[in-house]
């Protein structure tokens, strides 16, 4: 059974950089593609970016180059950094194991999610 757990701050000030880490158990970060997805209040899921088993990364154009995904294979973790955050980035953030295309919100396993609020 694959399990994912997000960790990071729940509150970030505008213009700062948000950093979230996803720890994977029961699976290998080098064997699948992994994603970051978020859900703003009252809205649907939004794909933010993915990291393939090869380490290649893909990002949503809507984030305008603010997102960066990296991985630590020794810890079986991958990290999202989102720079210049604004209140519109307030959302529940999920990490997930991807299925189908890496540029979609499709997944088969997902973490429980972590609430991130951007506010001064």
């Amino acid at each position: 059974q694959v399990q994912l757990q997000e960790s990071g701050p729940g509150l970030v000030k505008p213009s700062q950089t948000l950093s979230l880490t996803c720890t994977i158990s029961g699976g290998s970060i080098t064997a699948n593609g992994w994603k970051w997805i978020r859900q703003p209040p009252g809205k649907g899921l939004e794909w933010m970016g993915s990291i393939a088993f090869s380490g290649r990364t893909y990002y949503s154009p809507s984030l305008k180059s603010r997102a960066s995904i990296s991985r630590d294979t020794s810890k079986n973790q991958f990290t999202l950094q989102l720079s210049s955050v604004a209140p519109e980035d307030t959302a529940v953030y999920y990490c997930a194991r991807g299925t189908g295309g890496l540029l979609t919100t499709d997944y088969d396993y997902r973490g429980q999610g972590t609430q991130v609020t951007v506010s001064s």
Side-chain angles (χ1 to χ4, degrees), residues 1-7 20-36 50-53 69-79 94-98 108-112:
Q1 180 78 3
V2 176
Q3 294 183 319
L4 301 97
Q5 179 65 57
E6 304 92 350
S7 59
L20 297 174
T21 296
C22 182
T23 301
I24 303 163
S25 57
S28 173
I29 196 168
T30 59
N32 294 95
W34 307 86
K35 303 180 177 182
W36 284 101
S50 300
I51 185 164
F53 68 91
I69 298 174
S70 59
R71 68 182 185 179
D72 186 332
T73 57
S74 67
K75 295 181 180 179
N76 218 29
Q77 294 177 332
F78 63 109
T79 297
Y94 301 95
C95 60
R97 190 174 79 169
D108 55 1
Y109 294 97
R110 189 188 75 179
Q112 64 182 14

Side-chain angles (χ1 to χ4, degrees), residues 84-100:
S84 304
V85 298
E88 307 85 82
D89 294 309
T90 294
V92 178
Y93 286 72
Y94 301 95
C95 60
R97 190 174 79 169
T99 58

